Amino acid sequence: MKTLNKTSLLTGGLAGVTAALLSMGANTQSSLAIVLYAASALPILIAGLGWGNAAAITAIVSAGVAAAALISPYFALLILVVTLIPAGWLSHLANLARPASELGGPDGALAWYPLSDILSHLAGLVTAGMIIVGFIVGYDSAVSDRMVDIVIQAVKAQEPLYNPDPAAIAQIKSIFTLALPLIQGAVWVVMLFTAYYVATRIVQMSGKSLRPREDIPSTLRMHRNAIFIFLGGLVLTFLGGAPATIGALVCGTFGAGFLLAGFASFHFRTRGKSWRLPVLWIAYLSVLVFTIPAIFFLLTGLTDTRRTIAVTPVGKN
């Protein structure tokens, strides 16, 4: 939606180098690794949302080249499939619009790509990216088993009398084999959507945004067809082996989408209530501390699926 010019290419190049540096910083700051990896999506998103596809593509290519030259082609491939390409695709979707009259809307207005579809695309992109990464690194149950063994050895070092039953250890390993990809997928969807949200606000404040500012609590929902993908992932978890791992990943990525939608719905339903702020704080803290309350918001997201299309007059874009 924006023309190819020197400004978009220069902006994309600078954004790509910034994204590569943030990704490389994650390798040296292990305590902030996941935050820096997610933050590396910000420059790509800002370039794409503000300067169009040409800037986003330039940013992705320059980031990949910089990462390959400074670290390794292997590292560049990993950040491309998990972070940079999904960020570029999200910016592309966010800038898509069509005449509202084609959808039965008013003449002289634009209908923007639904936020529900953008969130569903994000879940699918993270799923595909992590499957590719798993194939490249050779992920299997042995990876999660080693992590459980490391934790058990650490506990034994603190408590020499600790001697867990082998059957209990085997059960923990079988659970963790599914829990690891589920948690990784869910966390990454939440982190990337947070980066998308921050990027949209930055671009809007700069006056470069094409897409109108949306009311997130009323529009952030998942596409209804995503329910079948989530249920398909749930079925795969019972098959064992690689299908179960992929199923757990699908449950994590699409479950995170429904979780975000559930929180948005909760924000919308409590709007205007005098007790809204403390209840929202309690809700977020309960999920962070106890995790189990997240099931309530997940179910809320699953039962409230719809596509809300933002419409704006052509003259305002």
Side-chain angles (χ1 to χ4, degrees):
M1 294 183 67
K2 288 196 173 183
T3 58
L4 174 65
N5 52 47
K6 292 182 180 179
T7 301
S8 63
L9 293 177
L10 179 60
T11 302
L14 292 173
V17 173
T18 303
L21 292 175
L22 286 169
S23 297
M24 288 184 285
N27 284 341
T28 58
Q29 297 289 333
S30 58
S31 60
L32 298 174
I34 189 169
V35 176
L36 290 174
Y37 276 127
S40 67
L42 266 176
I44 310 296
L45 286 163
I46 292 172
L49 291 169
W51 285 266
N53 289 339
I57 293 171
T58 304
I60 293 170
V61 172
S62 59
V65 171
L70 297 174
I71 302 294
S72 70
Y74 178 80
F75 174 76
L77 179 60
L78 293 182
I79 64 171
L80 280 171
V81 299
V82 174
T83 306
L84 305 184
I85 292 177
W89 184 249
L90 291 185
S91 67
H92 165 69
L93 294 179
N95 285 339
L96 288 179
R98 62 192 301 184
S101 58
E102 295 181 3
L103 303 175
D107 294 330
L110 289 176
W112 296 87
Y113 199 77
L115 188 59
S116 60
D117 291 9
I118 292 176
L119 183 56
S120 299
H121 272 260
L122 174 59
L125 287 167
V126 172
T127 302
M130 289 198 167
I131 290 175
I132 293 171
V133 170
F135 178 78
I136 293 172
V137 303
Y139 177 86
D140 56 23
S141 60
V143 176
S144 58
D145 289 350
R146 285 196 297 272
M147 295 182 69
V148 173
D149 290 335
I150 292 171
V151 173
I152 291 176
Q153 292 300 323
V155 173
K156 285 183 177 180
Q158 297 292 327
E159 297 290 340
L161 297 179
Y162 177 70
N163 188 25
D165 181 66
I169 294 177
Q171 185 175 13
I172 292 173
K173 288 181 178 180
S174 64
I175 294 173
F176 199 69
T177 299
L178 298 181
L180 183 60
L182 187 149
I183 294 171
Q184 286 178 330
V187 169
W188 201 238
V189 167
V190 172
M191 295 293 284
L192 285 186
F193 184 80
T194 301
Y196 168 79
Y197 176 81
V198 172
T200 57
R201 292 295 179 259
I202 292 174
V203 175
Q204 285 163 0
M205 288 188 293
S206 69
K208 298 290 293 183
S209 178
L210 291 173
R211 189 182 182 94
R213 180 168 181 172
E214 295 177 85
D215 181 25
I216 298 294
S218 63
T219 59
L220 182 60
R221 302 294 186 272
M222 284 286 277
H223 194 289
R224 61 177 60 90
N225 292 339
I227 294 177
F228 301 107
I229 301 176
F230 178 78
L231 293 177
L234 192 60
V235 171
L236 286 176
T237 60
F238 293 97
L239 299 182
T245 302
I246 294 174
L249 175 61
V250 170
C251 288
T253 53
F254 281 85
F258 286 111
L259 180 66
L260 289 170
F263 272 114
S265 178
F266 189 65
H267 273 262
F268 182 70
R269 295 180 183 184
T270 58
R271 181 173 285 172
K273 308 294 184 182
S274 59
W275 41 263
R276 182 174 188 259
L277 188 59
V279 168
L280 287 176
W281 273 106
I282 292 172
Y284 281 108
L285 287 175
S286 65
V287 170
L288 289 174
V289 176
F290 301 108
T291 307
I292 294 178
I295 297 175
F296 167 77
F297 296 101
L298 173 64
L299 293 176
T300 301
L302 285 166
T303 56
D304 187 7
T305 56
R306 51 191 168 89
R307 301 173 77 222
T308 303
I309 302 175
V311 177
T312 57
V314 175
K316 289 188 177 182
N317 299 276

